[in-house]
Amino acid sequence: MSIETSSLRLLERNPRPALGLRACASVVLLLVAFASLRAQLTATDQPVATYLQRVWQTQDGLPEANIQALAQTPEGYLWVGTTGGLARFDGEKFTIFNHQTTPALTVDGIASLTVAKNGDLWIGTFGGGLVRYRDGEFHRYANGEGFTLGFIRSVVEDDQGALLVATYGGLFRMEGDHLARFKSNIHELEKSSIFSMTKDLSGTVWVGATTLVRIQHGTATAYPASGLPPMVLVRATVVDKNRTLWVGTTSGLFKSSLTKDDLPLHFTPVQAIRGGVRSLFLFPDGRLWVGTSDQGSFLLDGNSTRPLAMPAALPSNAVFTVLQDRNGSYWVGTQAGLARLAHPETSIIFLPKSSDSVSQTISADPKGHLWVASTNLYDIQNGHAKEVTLPGLAQIHVVTVLRDHDGCLWLGTFDQGIYQLKDGHLIHFPMQINLRDIRAMLQRRDGTIWIAGGSGISRFRDGKIEPLSGMNGLPAQVSGAHTLFEDHTGALWIGADQGLYLWRNDALETNKLTKTIQNVPVWAMHEDPSGALWVGTNGRGIYRWKNGRVDALNASNALLPSKIYAILQTQDGEIWISSPNGIYSISGENLNAFADDSHHEPSARLYTALSGVYTTQMFGGLQPAGAITADGSLWFPSLYGPVRITAKQQDSIRSIPPVVIRSVLVNGKESSVESLQDLAATSTRLDIQYGAIDLLPQSNLRFRYKLEGFDEQWNEAGTQRIASYTNLPPGRYTFRVAAYSIEAPSKSSEAELLIKRRPPYYHTWWFFLLCGAILTCAVALFHFIRTRQIAKQFRAVIKERNRVAREMHDTLLRGCTGVSSLLEAMAATSQFPQEPGHTLLESSRLQISSTIEEARQAIWGLRLDHGPQASLSALLREIAQQLEHQFGIPIFFQAEGREALIRQNISHQLLMATREALFNALRHATPTEVRLTIYFLRNQIQIEVTDNGTGFDTGFSSFNDGREHYGLSVMRERVESLGGTLHIRSSSEDGTSLVMLVSLSKLRNRKDWDANNA
């Protein structure tokens, strides 16, 4: 028994909703032929074509299943008018517009949809008037003269580009931006209800009311008609290329020739169609589709009229509208849902006497037979499947077939061992432990036949089958083998659930490949002309073994599947891969390039729902899971029967559809796209849903996205259609999404979206300014309080210093003054100025006088810490003169450089340190002369005291152990308190040199520098 590939078969009806790409596999998928069943047709009727059908109903996203109108706008959207609202379809998701979401739509019932030449969508409603959709905005037109009911039945553009609007109250015309009644003396156009308008190929508009009216060049002409029933309502009109006018009415279908201008028109009924006609559609080849109110659809082809659809084929027998989209698919609006009819790229052979059409393995032998092991055994020739019945095989489940070199047929069964058909005789090899659950058979070059079973490996040689598992080095655990393959070197590869095994020269070998995919289920193998071995796994993608190198093409790449059932290669180098979600084709050169460089993007083609291959319904695990016949056709097993793909069906590549941003969710709530321009700081989660506008199945599409300003590189999303971000930093971003096809990954379409997220208040400029002001105030307050505390402490110190000064003045200084007076008196009364005692007295007098002066300076310094002083050089000169007079040793003074004035407290420290140095030289060094030099350098003051006295050895002095004389320690402390340094150089031959260095910049930083010196 054979069947036609184009025969009508009901494949599957899935009641669950299908809202996404992957749901295409689980929805209603019907293989429909526009012909009736043989039981309903005469023997001469032939099937018209094979179509793949998909149905959408309310559970799939439609507002209501009663479809009244269809239209496709320039951007590719399909618009669906229902009695429950308007829906926009992008191929994956319906967006609903009704009176709740769209103020311009005051009612939900949609009667007509028309796309004007400029791309505007005109929406006729049941009672809500006329609505225009342009650039995302809906605009409702107010009622004009006589335009009070708001029931719009049809809208068309005439040959002059004017918009004509058919209502239940007459015909209107768009003039400028408002509607006006169409000017005519035809009564039917003024008061009658108009149910239909159609524009033919010449641009002429045909109006159907209680009569026919032609509008051409803005002029209306009434066509009295004979042959039409009285009071008939014209619901649809169409003019074919032969100038035949077809009129669908509530009483059937009528036709009249327009080749003559004679009036009235003479209509003849189409006898096969007597019910109410709701829609007429002309196929490109001239055939006429007739949709009725309750009798389904009919096809008129010449003089032949045949039923097109039955309740099993379309959702309902009430067909209201038909549309052909740009891809060539047909959309049918019925009373119970929306159907799409598309030409499949593949064909399926249905197997007779197979209730579920389960196809497990397909084998092509050299004699031109294509063997299918399913519920029964089948032989396919010339597209016809014939059941093969062999004596002794009744009720035996054959799972795989092999034709050996001698022409014998080997049949592997599930639980009955192996059968050999030789010279018309059937030889049975009963089931042994290794012959249970046969999964693959292979004949090697040496003529031996190897058999892979669920319990091990066997070999047929010399008329006997011998088990090999557990013998000759082949591990006993090699069970669950799925595939056998012999490469060009004669080595045997065994793919099993435990991994891959290599058998060479009757011994088991291991190499890098077997070690790499150890414990990975191997289900398919293929060797290409270059000698590369391709290994398909169950869950790890594909591996390539070439020149001792293993390359993994795993499932991380969105273009290739992770589960592999079969790998085939045609003569043109194309590699075909069968997987659960469809069949991939990719050039061998491209696949090798991808294996060599993971950055290379391979281009592949996926055959799925559109192709007639039903997602997740392909078969694998048993070999062979695919075959290539002599004519180049490829065959793969599926749940619904053998799938056939011919070479000529591989040429066309679909263009990349445009990408759209569908919706935006902020913190889980849907928001407008405009809201992304000013995201609140509390927006912690952002979900962007995107998609593509493509009315064909989108199984070949892949997506990638990137948030510029956040993502460093593109994110590969695969078939996922949502991008999520959490806790985005404040700033400006650009979200970009690209769609590309696995057939051409280098070509893509993009959409972008601007995003701006406001910073939280604690990241704003005004917050920082406020914090700065608060901090400034706090610092100022702290400074004020601290200054008051310091001033208070300073006043206490000044008070104490004044007290000490008073005490010193009233005690020590008075005492010294008294002693000085006594010494002065004694010196004045001395009668022997040349005596030694007089000399001591004079020296004491000078010493006490100097001490009194220093004490006064110290007391004055305690009371006055600031104020300008005389020049430092003048003070040093005065001290030098006093000490020279006191000790009688010459002191030579010299000042070099531009002198600077410094404050009293600083000059006092330098004077005291210099005085101590001079005293030390005069008292201890016994010099004959002393030199005092002050240098005013650019950034330093240098005071140098040198003598030609006895000096001392600094290496053995108290400098070496840190125990200095008290005078030297005081000098060092005074100089270092000013930020300076003290250097001493001394020897017994050269005397002593003492140098004090003070930095002017350090003095300025101490704020002790006189502003006049700046």
Side-chain angles (χ1 to χ4, degrees), residues 423-460:
D423 299 329
H425 299 286
L426 197 63
I427 303 173
H428 183 209
F429 297 90
M431 184 182 69
Q432 305 170 15
I433 187 171
N434 281 13
L435 296 182
R436 179 180 178 85
D437 186 14
I438 306 302
R439 298 182 178 181
M441 295 187 294
L442 171 71
Q443 185 173 26
R444 301 184 65 186
R445 293 185 181 89
D446 59 7
T448 60
I449 294 178
W450 289 66
I451 304 164
S455 301
I457 304 297
S458 299
R459 178 175 59 188
F460 178 80

Side-chain angles (χ1 to χ4, degrees), residues 681 758-776:
R758 294 200 307 265
Y761 69 90
Y762 48 83
H763 283 173
T764 56
W765 64 269
W766 60 265
F767 180 79
F768 287 120
L769 184 61
L770 179 61
C771 290
I774 294 175
L775 181 62
T776 301

Side-chain angles (χ1 to χ4, degrees), residues 771-789:
C771 290
I774 294 175
L775 181 62
T776 301
C777 293
V779 171
L781 179 62
F782 175 78
H783 177 72
F784 175 75
I785 295 174
R786 180 62 178 162
T787 301
R788 292 191 61 182
Q789 292 177 345

Side-chain angles (χ1 to χ4, degrees), residues 315-338:
S316 170
N317 276 339
V319 178
F320 295 156
T321 183
V322 180
L323 171 73
Q324 184 179 24
D325 66 19
R326 298 170 198 161
N327 298 316
S329 300
Y330 298 100
W331 296 83
V332 185
T334 74
Q335 193 174 23
L338 175 67

